[in-house]
């Protein structure tokens, strides 16, 4: 069996070493005589898996003690509602920055809970960058400011962290969490669906400053209340145990491979190779302003869109898979998360050069 290079935006490639360990432990996890999927989430075996994963994530991201780490379900999409339900804290309005498809979804959901002030939007530029901070229209009464540091579909990344004083920053890190070190203390809340850079779908990570929770809007379901999950160590109900276990294996893999500093270095090198290939040709184009280009998701178009299909078919034939761009953007998109080996980028870059030579 040959594994392909999978450039999917999510669910996405996982480290091969992690999959091999999961395979090794599938039928009998470390002498338990059963797979992790079959264990009680309250039993000793799973508790040890759960606690280690939590501790490793805290260590990898250097999460301060005054933050809760919650392992939830419902995807980042549930966070679009949980954030306002929990963090409005009696206020009537929140600031949002609109930099693309995922920001828009977050904004639409927040509007069900409060007045949304769109402090800045790049829509007029077709979402090819991030509006300069000095142009933002911030509201001093905002309960928080929400933005999407990495727009997975447009391939747009924030080159700065905004300074909003006492107004907490809330970020949707679904496609960039664990890709480089960040200073968690600069944020009120960080959330991420697991299926891009953490592990399998089904797990959603929330990192939230403790003083921000406990003031949920009346009528909010228990499952949408951060405080209830915090008080129950993310086991208020049955958690997604296998996803939790696999995320733990990924955290372990990251620690063994130099942590987030090493990841950032590799990720920057991988992304540079691909952007250099795009910029060095008249055949491929990436529309994003250079300082806002994502290191994780690299969209690009061909000079002649008629060739898109041929490009995808030929790429797939040599094991370069899932390169089709999002339907809203067209063209191609290479998602190059932590688990995408550098050899995958090399293979893609060399295919692109060859394809150009034959078709330009
Ligand atoms: C994939 C993605 C989402 C949606 O995640 P779900 O887990 O499917 O709800 C939200 N935001 C960003 C930035 C994403 O990349």
């Amino acid at each position: 069996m040959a594994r392909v290079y999978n450039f999917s935006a999510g669910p996405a490639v996982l480290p091969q070493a992690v999959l091999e360990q999961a395979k090794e432990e599938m039928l009998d996890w470390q002498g338990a005589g059963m797979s992790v999927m079959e264990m009680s989430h309250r039993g000793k075996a799973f508790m040890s898996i759960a606690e280690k994963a939590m501790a490793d994530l805290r260590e990898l991201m250097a999460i301060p003690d005054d933050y809760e780490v919650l392992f939830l379900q419902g995807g980042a999409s549930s966070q679009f509602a949980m954030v306002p339900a929990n963090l409005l804290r009696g206020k009537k309005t929140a600031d949002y920055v609109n930099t693309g498809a995922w920001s828009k979804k977050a904004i639409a959901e927040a509007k069900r809970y409060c007045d949304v002030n769109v402090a800045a939007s790049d829509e007029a530029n077709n979402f090819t960058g991030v509006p300069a901070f000095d142009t933002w229209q911030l509201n001093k009464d905002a309960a928080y400011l929400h933005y999407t540091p990495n727009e997975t579909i447009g391939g747009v990344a924030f080159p700065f962290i905004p300074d909003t004083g006492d107004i907490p920053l809330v970020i949707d890190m679904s496609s960039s969490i664990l890709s480089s070190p960040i200073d968690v203390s600069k944020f009120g809340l960080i959330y991420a669906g697991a299926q891009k850079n953490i592990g399998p779908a089904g797990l959603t990570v929330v990192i939230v400053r403790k003083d921000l929770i406990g003031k949920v809007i009346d009528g909010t379901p228990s499952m949408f209340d951060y405080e209830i999950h915090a008080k129950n160590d993310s086991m208020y109900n049955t958690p997604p145990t296998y996803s939790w276990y696999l995320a733990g294996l990924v955290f372990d893999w990251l620690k063994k491979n130099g942590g987030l500093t090493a990841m950032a270095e590799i990720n920057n090198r991988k992304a540079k190779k691909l952007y250099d290939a795009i910029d060095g040709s008249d055949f491929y184009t990436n529309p994003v302003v250079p300082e806002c280009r994502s290191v994780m998701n690299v969209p690009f178009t061909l000079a002649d869109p008629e060739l898109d299909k041929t490009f995808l078919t030929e790429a797939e034939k040599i094991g370069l898979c899932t390169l089709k761009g999002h339907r809203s953007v067209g063209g191609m998109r290479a998602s190059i998360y932590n688990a995408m080996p550098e050899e995958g980028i090399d293979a893609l870059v060399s295919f692109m050069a060859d394809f150009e030579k034959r078709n330009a």
Side-chain angles (χ1 to χ4, degrees):
M1 183 217 59
R3 273 176 66 78
V4 300
Y5 291 118
N6 175 14
F7 294 93
S8 168
V13 56
L14 285 162
Q16 183 156 331
V18 163
L19 295 174
E20 275 162 9
Q21 187 176 343
K23 176 183 169 189
E24 197 62 38
E25 296 176 339
M26 177 60 76
L27 296 184
D28 174 14
W29 181 83
Q30 300 189 7
M34 62 178 83
S35 79
V36 175
M37 273 179 269
E38 301 164 296
M39 288 174 182
S40 162
H41 58 297
R42 308 209 185 271
K44 226 167 123 188
F46 187 75
M47 287 302 274
S48 73
I49 291 170
E51 280 162 17
K52 181 173 176 349
M54 279 275 187
D56 283 349
L57 180 61
R58 279 192 176 272
E59 184 186 328
L60 279 166
M61 293 183 70
I63 300 171
D65 288 342
D66 57 332
Y67 284 74
E68 296 284 358
V69 178
L70 308 175
F71 281 6
L72 309 179
Q73 301 179 65
S77 300
S78 291
Q79 295 310 310
F80 296 163
M82 281 178 83
V83 163
N86 286 267
L87 293 203
L88 281 168
R89 295 165 293 137
K91 299 198 177 199
K92 302 252 170 305
T93 176
D95 285 349
Y96 278 71
V97 179
N98 183 12
T99 50
W102 290 115
S103 310
K104 274 190 162 181
K105 285 212 162 173
I107 289 167
E109 195 70 4
K111 281 183 176 166
R112 298 160 67 108
Y113 290 87
C114 65
D115 291 329
V116 170
N117 170 48
V118 177
S121 171
D122 199 54
E123 189 149 25
N125 299 318
N126 216 3
F127 299 124
T128 49
V130 175
F133 185 55
D134 59 14
T135 67
W136 293 18
Q137 308 277 318
L138 297 169
N139 180 349
K140 62 175 181 9
D141 297 321
Y144 57 85
L145 178 129
H146 178 284
Y147 69 97
T148 313
N150 187 74
E151 284 280 359
T152 322
I153 292 175
V156 173
F158 272 64
F160 59 87
I161 296 174
D163 179 0
T164 49
D166 288 340
I167 296 179
L169 296 175
V170 174
I171 54 171
D172 173 1
M173 272 205 117
S174 293
S175 50
S176 54
I177 193 166
L178 300 175
S179 63
S180 65
I182 60 157
D183 181 354
V184 172
S185 72
K186 286 201 155 66
F187 302 93
L189 188 148
I190 297 168
Y191 65 91
Q195 69 273 22
K196 277 105 188 205
N197 217 11
I198 298 179
L203 177 72
T204 310
V205 171
V206 174
I207 301 162
V208 58
R209 221 172 65 208
K210 288 179 180 171
D211 65 295
L212 295 176
I213 63 176
K215 297 180 193 80
V216 76
I217 287 176
D218 279 350
T220 301
S222 303
M223 282 294 289
F224 267 36
D225 183 342
Y226 293 134
E227 192 185 36
I228 288 181
H229 289 293
K231 282 190 169 150
N232 289 279
D233 297 324
S234 301
M235 295 207 191
Y236 172 69
N237 75 322
T238 314
T241 49
Y242 199 77
S243 298
W244 191 322
Y245 155 74
L246 223 80
L249 296 187
V250 172
F251 300 152
D252 207 45
W253 175 80
L254 286 169
K255 279 174 61 180
K256 283 184 187 137
N257 285 279
L260 304 193
T261 307
M263 278 305 130
E265 197 179 305
I266 300 166
N267 286 332
N268 286 331
R269 198 168 63 223
K270 279 155 55 182
K272 186 175 184 315
K273 279 185 179 177
L274 190 45
Y275 285 116
D276 281 352
I278 294 166
D279 292 343
S281 99
D282 296 326
F283 189 73
Y284 301 105
T285 311
N286 168 282
V288 179
V289 298
E291 66 271 21
C292 300
R293 284 173 164 181
S294 168
V295 170
M296 295 278 98
N297 311 96
V298 183
F300 61 93
T301 51
L302 312 190
D304 177 5
E306 298 266 297
L307 289 169
D308 284 4
K309 259 207 175 110
T310 319
F311 182 95
L312 290 167
T313 313
E314 288 187 13
E316 192 161 328
K317 264 193 199 138
I318 58 163
L320 304 170
C321 297
T322 347
L323 280 162
K324 193 173 178 356
H326 191 270
R327 58 193 179 279
S328 64
V329 178
M332 317 299 153
R333 172 177 48 169
S335 293
I336 51 175
Y337 300 116
N338 288 342
M340 170 57 66
E342 194 160 351
E343 295 76 38
I345 313 295
D346 294 338
L348 174 60
V349 164
S350 123
F351 168 73
M352 286 166 69
D354 176 59
F355 188 86
E356 178 178 356
K357 217 179 280 162
R358 287 183 287 111
N359 292 282

